[in-house]
Amino acid sequence: MQTTNVLQTAVRGRWAVATMFFVNGFLTGSWAPQIPVFLERLAISKFTLGVLILVFGLGALTFMPLSGYLMSRNGSRTVVRGFGAVAVFGLLLVALAPNVVLAAPAMFLFGGLIGGMDVAMNANAVAVERRLSKAVMSSSHGFWSLGGFAGGGLGGITIQAFGHVAHAALVTAAALVLFLAAARHLIAEAKPAIHEHHRFTLPRTATVYLVGLMALLSMIPEGAILDWAALHLQQELGADLATAGLAFAFFSAAMSVMRFAGDSVRNRFGAVTTLRVSSLIAAGGMLVAALSPWPWLAIAAFAFCGLGIANMVPIAFSAGGNQPGMASGTGMSVVTTMGYSGILIAPSAIGFAAEHIGFSPIFMALAGFLVIVCLMANLAHTADFAPQPAE
């Protein structure tokens, strides 16, 4: 009977953390349709908008290590609840900012809360994996993608019908309801992390930084496709705007589908094999996209690349959260901070390079990054786990 209760608690915890991923993605996705209104109502230039979006990213990168430190003292469940309870109001805060002076700190705080919640919910997903002794990380990220799709898809319609403040208020209300329904079912780590150090110090184990490098090399191509694939199809392959926009849409769709299948694949073949094959699939797709003379072949290649990239970051995150002798939150904060820094830094660097050499050589280089992940795949063996007792 006790074993049954423990399993039921773990299953509820699995769906609770999936809901947290959905909420985080929903808040992030709901920001995208707010951007045109944000630009117009503050009467700012695209350059200023870019700076404010960078501030959002800097907030995330600032709060991610803080989230790891807080988890080393309080565990992931408490930190998810803490960040999530405030993060649900982040978009509303940005929507209410009347000028750039107030918008900048609102963006920093919104990004920080989303980033801090992100690290903690990934660490909690690792705790669920340990409790259930099976992978749930890929499908958890699939729920994030679903949340992002829901937020982005419904946002424009809602803003057009009711205005940007009403939209932000509705998003806040929906996110708050989902958060409150799931928060009480989150599970705690089997071994409380409070026994870890209470001083903020960086891990001294080199392996966790190498896993972070794998996450970085996996996320740079994802960010590159998000920001530059459409422009590549337009400027270098002669595609029209409607066709060019399909590059990321097909990539994202393929990635979402594969993330829901990824846990079963990883449970069957193991993290190392899954990561190795996934990285080669992604590299092949990226290379074909780089060399393709036809837009539709490039779109298909980007989608194929999405099938590979889908499970690379979740596996890296699981590996980071399962480093021997290290609190799950500490390893997770290092890997997520390094990984997400690629999405923050890469777009501007790629844009600068593309002005001089074009996008095709850049995508070829990114295929090389993915091959490097394949060569480093053995580092992901910690993503596989042994059964652990309940708390």
Side-chain angles (χ1 to χ4, degrees):
M1 180 65 69
Q2 184 177 3
T3 302
T4 301
N5 290 337
V6 168
L7 180 59
Q8 289 175 344
T9 299
V11 171
R12 285 195 295 268
R14 184 263 177 280
W15 292 111
V17 77
T19 302
M20 293 301 173
F21 273 85
F22 182 91
V23 168
N24 191 281
F26 181 62
L27 291 167
T28 305
S30 296
W31 157 242
Q34 286 267 350
I35 291 176
V37 180
F38 189 72
L39 181 75
E40 181 179 348
R41 70 184 182 84
L42 295 185
I44 56 177
S45 66
K46 291 180 180 178
F47 174 80
T48 303
L49 175 63
V51 171
L52 289 172
I53 292 175
L54 180 63
V55 169
F56 177 96
L58 291 175
L61 294 180
T62 301
F63 277 60
M64 282 177 173
L66 174 62
S67 181
Y69 170 66
L70 293 174
M71 281 188 286
S72 74
R73 302 189 64 173
N74 304 294
S76 64
R77 178 173 62 183
T78 300
V79 178
V80 173
R81 288 172 173 173
F83 275 115
V86 188
V88 294
F89 297 97
L91 181 66
L92 183 60
L93 186 65
V94 172
L96 291 173
N99 52 53
V100 174
V101 174
L102 293 178
M107 287 288 288
F108 183 86
L109 184 61
F110 184 34
L113 292 168
I114 290 292
M117 182 184 178
D118 192 294
V119 174
M121 69 191 188
N122 274 284
N124 196 260
V126 170
V128 171
E129 288 185 329
R130 291 174 175 174
R131 191 73 61 85
L132 293 175
S133 298
K134 67 177 184 179
V136 303
M137 186 67 80
S138 290
S139 58
S140 294
H141 281 254
F143 279 103
W144 190 96
S145 298
L146 276 183
F149 177 77
L154 296 175
I157 299 171
T158 307
I159 292 172
Q160 186 171 345
F162 303 106
H164 76 282
V165 174
H167 165 253
L170 289 171
V171 167
T172 300
L176 183 60
V177 169
L178 290 171
F179 171 80
L180 292 175
R184 63 193 182 96
H185 295 299
L186 292 169
I187 68 169
E189 285 78 2
K191 294 181 180 180
I194 197 168
H195 297 299
E196 297 292 327
H197 59 78
H198 288 196
R199 256 186 329 115
F200 179 73
T201 56
L202 291 172
R204 298 181 180 179
T205 305
T207 306
V208 72
Y209 297 103
L210 293 175
V211 173
L213 177 62
M214 286 200 304
L216 173 66
L217 296 178
S218 300
M219 294 183 81
I220 288 176
E222 181 179 346
I225 295 172
L226 168 64
D227 291 309
W228 300 113
L231 204 59
H232 168 60
L233 264 65
Q234 273 189 289
Q235 293 187 350
E236 300 184 6
L237 301 185
D240 59 36
L241 182 60
T243 302
L246 295 176
F248 181 72
F250 278 50
F251 169 83
S252 182
M255 188 165 63
S256 297
V257 170
M258 191 60 203
R259 278 183 166 169
F260 282 107
D263 291 332
S264 297
V265 173
R266 182 175 140 199
N267 286 328
R268 179 173 181 179
F269 298 105
V272 173
T273 299
T274 303
L275 180 58
R276 185 173 289 127
V277 174
S278 295
S279 57
L280 289 178
I281 289 173
M286 188 68 80
L287 184 62
V288 172
L291 298 176
S292 171
W294 306 293
W296 282 104
L297 177 59
I299 290 170
F302 282 130
F304 190 71
C305 183
L307 293 176
I309 287 180
N311 293 315
M312 294 172 64
V313 172
I315 289 174
F317 283 4
S318 286
N322 280 297
Q323 290 297 301
M326 186 181 301
S328 176
T330 302
M332 185 65 69
S333 67
V334 171
V335 174
T336 52
T337 301
M338 291 183 66
Y340 283 114
S341 67
I343 290 182
L344 176 65
I345 297 170
S348 57
I350 290 173
F352 175 79
E355 289 184 1
H356 297 84
I357 62 175
F359 288 110
S360 290
I362 292 171
F363 287 131
M364 291 175 66
L366 295 179
F369 285 5
L370 295 164
V371 171
I372 292 173
V373 175
C374 176
L375 298 175
M376 299 173 69
N378 282 335
L379 294 171
H381 69 91
T382 57
D384 292 323
F385 28 75
Q388 294 195 7
E391 61 177 323

Short mmCIF file of all heavy atoms in Angstrom, two decimals, residues 245-278:
data_model
loop_
_atom_site.label_atom_id
_atom_site.label_comp_id
_atom_site.label_asym_id
_atom_site.label_seq_id
_atom_site.Cartn_x
_atom_site.Cartn_y
_atom_site.Cartn_z
N GLY A 245 8.47 31.94 -43.77
CA GLY A 245 7.98 31.81 -42.41
C GLY A 245 7.74 30.38 -41.99
O GLY A 245 7.63 30.08 -40.79
N LEU A 246 7.67 29.47 -42.96
CA LEU A 246 7.42 28.07 -42.64
C LEU A 246 8.65 27.36 -42.09
O LEU A 246 8.53 26.28 -41.51
CB LEU A 246 6.92 27.33 -43.89
CG LEU A 246 5.56 27.77 -44.43
CD1 LEU A 246 5.25 27.02 -45.72
CD2 LEU A 246 4.48 27.51 -43.39
N ALA A 247 9.83 27.95 -42.26
CA ALA A 247 11.06 27.28 -41.82
C ALA A 247 11.02 26.99 -40.33
O ALA A 247 11.20 25.84 -39.89
CB ALA A 247 12.28 28.14 -42.17
N PHE A 248 10.79 28.02 -39.52
CA PHE A 248 10.75 27.80 -38.08
C PHE A 248 9.48 27.06 -37.67
O PHE A 248 9.50 26.27 -36.73
CB PHE A 248 10.86 29.11 -37.31
CG PHE A 248 10.85 28.90 -35.81
CD1 PHE A 248 11.96 28.35 -35.18
CD2 PHE A 248 9.74 29.22 -35.05
CE1 PHE A 248 11.96 28.12 -33.80
CE2 PHE A 248 9.73 29.01 -33.68
CZ PHE A 248 10.85 28.46 -33.05
N ALA A 249 8.37 27.30 -38.36
CA ALA A 249 7.13 26.61 -38.02
C ALA A 249 7.28 25.10 -38.15
O ALA A 249 6.89 24.34 -37.25
CB ALA A 249 5.99 27.10 -38.91
N PHE A 250 7.87 24.64 -39.26
CA PHE A 250 8.07 23.21 -39.46
C PHE A 250 9.11 22.66 -38.49
O PHE A 250 8.97 21.55 -37.96
CB PHE A 250 8.49 22.93 -40.91
CG PHE A 250 7.35 22.87 -41.88
CD1 PHE A 250 6.39 23.88 -41.91
CD2 PHE A 250 7.22 21.81 -42.76
CE1 PHE A 250 5.33 23.83 -42.80
CE2 PHE A 250 6.16 21.75 -43.66
CZ PHE A 250 5.20 22.77 -43.68
N PHE A 251 10.16 23.43 -38.25
CA PHE A 251 11.18 23.05 -37.28
C PHE A 251 10.55 22.88 -35.90
O PHE A 251 10.77 21.88 -35.20
CB PHE A 251 12.28 24.11 -37.25
CG PHE A 251 13.26 23.97 -36.12
CD1 PHE A 251 14.33 23.10 -36.21
CD2 PHE A 251 13.12 24.72 -34.95
CE1 PHE A 251 15.24 22.97 -35.16
CE2 PHE A 251 14.01 24.61 -33.91
CZ PHE A 251 15.09 23.72 -34.02
N SER A 252 9.75 23.85 -35.47
CA SER A 252 9.13 23.82 -34.15
C SER A 252 8.13 22.68 -34.02
O SER A 252 8.08 22.00 -32.99
CB SER A 252 8.44 25.16 -33.89
OG SER A 252 7.88 25.19 -32.60
N ALA A 253 7.35 22.45 -35.07
CA ALA A 253 6.37 21.36 -35.04
C ALA A 253 7.07 20.01 -34.90
O ALA A 253 6.66 19.17 -34.10
CB ALA A 253 5.51 21.40 -36.30
N ALA A 254 8.11 19.81 -35.70
CA ALA A 254 8.85 18.54 -35.63
C ALA A 254 9.48 18.36 -34.25
O ALA A 254 9.47 17.26 -33.68
CB ALA A 254 9.92 18.51 -36.72
N MET A 255 10.01 19.44 -33.70
CA MET A 255 10.65 19.37 -32.39
C MET A 255 9.63 19.04 -31.30
O MET A 255 9.90 18.22 -30.41
CB MET A 255 11.36 20.69 -32.09
CG MET A 255 12.21 20.66 -30.83
SD MET A 255 13.36 22.06 -30.73
CE MET A 255 12.20 23.42 -30.64
N SER A 256 8.45 19.65 -31.37
CA SER A 256 7.42 19.39 -30.37
C SER A 256 6.97 17.94 -30.39
O SER A 256 6.86 17.29 -29.34
CB SER A 256 6.21 20.31 -30.59
OG SER A 256 6.58 21.66 -30.44
N VAL A 257 6.71 17.42 -31.59
CA VAL A 257 6.28 16.02 -31.72
C VAL A 257 7.33 15.09 -31.17
O VAL A 257 7.04 14.14 -30.41
CB VAL A 257 5.96 15.69 -33.19
CG1 VAL A 257 5.75 14.18 -33.36
CG2 VAL A 257 4.73 16.44 -33.65
N MET A 258 8.59 15.34 -31.51
CA MET A 258 9.66 14.44 -31.09
C MET A 258 9.91 14.52 -29.59
O MET A 258 10.30 13.54 -28.97
CB MET A 258 10.95 14.79 -31.86
CG MET A 258 12.04 13.74 -31.69
SD MET A 258 11.48 12.11 -32.29
CE MET A 258 12.57 11.03 -31.38
N ARG A 259 9.65 15.69 -28.99
CA ARG A 259 9.85 15.80 -27.54
C ARG A 259 8.86 14.91 -26.78
O ARG A 259 9.22 14.36 -25.74
CB ARG A 259 9.73 17.26 -27.12
CG ARG A 259 11.02 18.01 -27.36
CD ARG A 259 11.00 19.44 -26.88
NE ARG A 259 12.37 19.96 -26.86
CZ ARG A 259 12.68 21.24 -26.69
NH1 ARG A 259 11.72 22.14 -26.54
NH2 ARG A 259 13.94 21.62 -26.66
N PHE A 260 7.66 14.77 -27.30
CA PHE A 260 6.70 13.89 -26.63
C PHE A 260 7.05 12.42 -26.84
O PHE A 260 6.69 11.58 -26.01
CB PHE A 260 5.28 14.20 -27.09
CG PHE A 260 4.70 15.42 -26.45
CD1 PHE A 260 4.53 16.59 -27.18
CD2 PHE A 260 4.35 15.43 -25.12
CE1 PHE A 260 4.01 17.73 -26.59
CE2 PHE A 260 3.82 16.56 -24.51
CZ PHE A 260 3.65 17.72 -25.25
N ALA A 261 7.73 12.11 -27.93
CA ALA A 261 8.18 10.73 -28.15
C ALA A 261 9.54 10.47 -27.52
O ALA A 261 9.93 9.31 -27.34
CB ALA A 261 8.25 10.45 -29.66
N GLY A 262 10.25 11.54 -27.16
CA GLY A 262 11.64 11.41 -26.74
C GLY A 262 11.86 10.61 -25.48
O GLY A 262 12.86 9.89 -25.36
N ASP A 263 10.95 10.70 -24.51
CA ASP A 263 11.14 9.96 -23.26
C ASP A 263 11.12 8.45 -23.51
O ASP A 263 11.93 7.71 -22.95
CB ASP A 263 10.05 10.33 -22.25
CG ASP A 263 10.20 11.75 -21.74
OD1 ASP A 263 11.34 12.25 -21.72
OD2 ASP A 263 9.19 12.36 -21.36
N SER A 264 10.21 8.01 -24.37
CA SER A 264 10.14 6.57 -24.68
C SER A 264 11.41 6.11 -25.40
O SER A 264 11.95 5.03 -25.11
CB SER A 264 8.92 6.28 -25.56
OG SER A 264 7.72 6.58 -24.87
N VAL A 265 11.89 6.93 -26.31
CA VAL A 265 13.13 6.61 -27.03
C VAL A 265 14.30 6.52 -26.06
O VAL A 265 15.09 5.57 -26.08
CB VAL A 265 13.41 7.66 -28.12
CG1 VAL A 265 14.78 7.43 -28.75
CG2 VAL A 265 12.33 7.64 -29.17
N ARG A 266 14.40 7.51 -25.18
CA ARG A 266 15.50 7.53 -24.22
C ARG A 266 15.41 6.39 -23.21
O ARG A 266 16.42 5.79 -22.85
CB ARG A 266 15.51 8.87 -23.51
CG ARG A 266 16.64 9.04 -22.53
CD ARG A 266 16.63 10.45 -21.96
NE ARG A 266 16.93 10.43 -20.55
CZ ARG A 266 16.66 11.40 -19.70
NH1 ARG A 266 16.04 12.48 -20.13
NH2 ARG A 266 16.97 11.30 -18.44
N ASN A 267 14.19 6.07 -22.76
CA ASN A 267 14.03 4.94 -21.83
C ASN A 267 14.46 3.63 -22.46
O ASN A 267 14.96 2.74 -21.76
CB ASN A 267 12.56 4.85 -21.37
CG ASN A 267 12.19 5.94 -20.38
OD1 ASN A 267 13.01 6.38 -19.59
ND2 ASN A 267 10.94 6.38 -20.43
N ARG A 268 14.28 3.53 -23.77
CA ARG A 268 14.63 2.27 -24.45
C ARG A 268 16.11 2.18 -24.79
O ARG A 268 16.73 1.13 -24.58
CB ARG A 268 13.79 2.12 -25.72
CG ARG A 268 14.10 0.86 -26.50
CD ARG A 268 13.14 0.65 -27.66
NE ARG A 268 13.45 -0.57 -28.38
CZ ARG A 268 12.77 -1.01 -29.43
NH1 ARG A 268 11.72 -0.33 -29.87
NH2 ARG A 268 13.12 -2.13 -30.04
N PHE A 269 16.68 3.26 -25.30
CA PHE A 269 18.04 3.20 -25.81
C PHE A 269 19.08 3.84 -24.90
O PHE A 269 20.28 3.68 -25.13
CB PHE A 269 18.11 3.85 -27.20
CG PHE A 269 17.27 3.16 -28.24
CD1 PHE A 269 16.07 3.73 -28.65
CD2 PHE A 269 17.65 1.95 -28.78
CE1 PHE A 269 15.27 3.10 -29.61
CE2 PHE A 269 16.87 1.31 -29.74
CZ PHE A 269 15.68 1.89 -30.15
N GLY A 270 18.65 4.58 -23.89
CA GLY A 270 19.60 5.25 -23.00
C GLY A 270 19.94 6.65 -23.49
O GLY A 270 19.81 6.96 -24.68
N ALA A 271 20.40 7.47 -22.56
CA ALA A 271 20.65 8.88 -22.87
C ALA A 271 21.79 9.07 -23.86
O ALA A 271 21.72 9.90 -24.77
CB ALA A 271 20.94 9.65 -21.58
N VAL A 272 22.88 8.30 -23.69
CA VAL A 272 24.06 8.50 -24.53
C VAL A 272 23.76 8.18 -25.98
O VAL A 272 24.06 8.96 -26.89
CB VAL A 272 25.24 7.66 -24.01
CG1 VAL A 272 26.42 7.73 -24.98
CG2 VAL A 272 25.68 8.13 -22.62
N THR A 273 23.16 7.02 -26.23
CA THR A 273 22.83 6.62 -27.60
C THR A 273 21.82 7.59 -28.22
O THR A 273 21.96 7.99 -29.38
CB THR A 273 22.26 5.20 -27.63
OG1 THR A 273 23.25 4.29 -27.12
CG2 THR A 273 21.89 4.78 -29.04
N THR A 274 20.81 7.96 -27.44
CA THR A 274 19.80 8.90 -27.94
C THR A 274 20.43 10.23 -28.31
O THR A 274 20.13 10.82 -29.37
CB THR A 274 18.70 9.12 -26.90
OG1 THR A 274 18.10 7.86 -26.56
CG2 THR A 274 17.62 10.05 -27.44
N LEU A 275 21.32 10.73 -27.46
CA LEU A 275 21.97 12.01 -27.73
C LEU A 275 22.88 11.90 -28.95
O LEU A 275 22.91 12.81 -29.79
CB LEU A 275 22.78 12.46 -26.51
CG LEU A 275 23.52 13.80 -26.66
CD1 LEU A 275 22.55 14.93 -26.98
CD2 LEU A 275 24.31 14.11 -25.40
N ARG A 276 23.60 10.81 -29.07
CA ARG A 276 24.54 10.65 -30.19
C ARG A 276 23.78 10.62 -31.53
O ARG A 276 24.14 11.32 -32.47
CB ARG A 276 25.35 9.37 -30.01
CG ARG A 276 26.43 9.17 -31.06
CD ARG A 276 27.32 7.98 -30.73
NE ARG A 276 28.18 8.29 -29.59
CZ ARG A 276 28.27 7.54 -28.49
NH1 ARG A 276 27.52 6.45 -28.37
NH2 ARG A 276 29.08 7.88 -27.52
N VAL A 277 22.72 9.81 -31.59
CA VAL A 277 21.95 9.71 -32.84
C VAL A 277 21.22 11.03 -33.12
O VAL A 277 21.19 11.51 -34.26
CB VAL A 277 20.95 8.54 -32.76
CG1 VAL A 277 20.03 8.53 -33.97
CG2 VAL A 277 21.70 7.21 -32.64
N SER A 278 20.66 11.64 -32.06
CA SER A 278 19.93 12.90 -32.23
C SER A 278 20.83 14.00 -32.79
O SER A 278 20.44 14.76 -33.68
CB SER A 278 19.33 13.36 -30.90
OG SER A 278 18.35 12.45 -30.45
#
